[in-house]
Amino acid sequence: MARKVFFSFRYDLDNWRVQTVKNMGRVEGQPLLSSNQWEDVARQGDAAIQRWIDEQMVGKSCDIVLIGSQTAGRPWVEYEFKKAWSDGKGVVGIHIYQLLDQNRQPAIKGRNPFSGFTLNGGKVAFDQVVRAYDPVGYNSTSVYSSISENIEAWVEEAIAIRKQW
């Protein structure tokens, strides 16, 4: 049975790529909202967004941050991985910029969203504990294969790392 995970990502730029990862079927993520559904939640304000995230994280064992060109610094992505860590869930990042979007275009590589955060009262860099994988491959097909072949192991490793902390 596939692990239940929460996907964190920048919706408007990476929804297509995230759907590609979700459709691999290697892990079971939360339902991905359509743009209209997301707008309905967002229109209700920050409290509604936070409530939706919190509800979707229930029963998940890991937060997978799917890193596109502009994922780092997104407030809700940061909220999601901080909440997951605080709740004792694994956290892992996977760069998805080489997967093609709906226009069959890759993106540029984004920054590590875990950089600049710390653990243990500022003594340990979060990005030295939580891994951000850049899947092996020179095109979308080979990157897809790399993610598909490794995502389950990356999730299990993230859960094991979190248990150590």
Side-chain angles (χ1 to χ4, degrees), residues 132-144:
Y133 290 96
D134 197 352
V136 176
Y138 57 91
N139 63 25
S140 184
T141 302
S142 57
V143 168
Y144 177 96

Side-chain angles (χ1 to χ4, degrees), residues 1-5 7 18-29 61-62 64 94 143-156 159:
M1 186 164 123
R3 277 278 189 185
K4 293 183 178 182
V5 302
F7 291 117
V18 171
Q19 192 67 47
T20 298
V21 173
K22 183 175 166 77
N23 287 344
M24 290 174 182
R26 302 291 191 169
V27 293
E28 182 183 327
S61 55
C62 188
I64 301 176
I94 302 172
V143 168
Y144 177 96
S145 293
S146 178
I147 294 170
S148 181
E149 292 168 9
N150 293 292
I151 193 168
E152 292 165 291
W154 293 338
V155 166
E156 293 304 322
I159 293 167

Side-chain angles (χ1 to χ4, degrees), residues 41-115:
V41 172
R43 193 175 307 119
Q44 297 173 48
D46 288 352
I49 295 171
Q50 184 174 334
R51 187 171 43 257
W52 183 87
I53 292 167
D54 293 351
E55 289 170 359
Q56 294 303 312
M57 278 203 179
V58 171
K60 307 303 190 286
S61 55
C62 188
D63 178 30
I64 301 176
V65 181
L66 295 169
I67 308 167
S69 61
Q70 297 179 30
T71 305
R74 301 299 298 176
W76 289 115
V77 170
E78 290 175 7
Y79 172 79
E80 292 160 354
F81 71 71
K82 288 178 185 177
K83 176 176 180 31
W85 187 265
S86 173
D87 290 351
K89 301 175 191 309
V91 177
V92 64
I94 302 172
H95 287 276
I96 58 169
Y97 66 99
Q98 288 183 294
L99 293 177
L100 300 180
D101 65 11
Q102 65 271 26
N103 299 314
R104 309 223 16 95
Q105 297 298 311
I108 60 169
K109 184 176 181 178
R111 293 182 299 113
N112 183 334
F114 310 130
S115 296

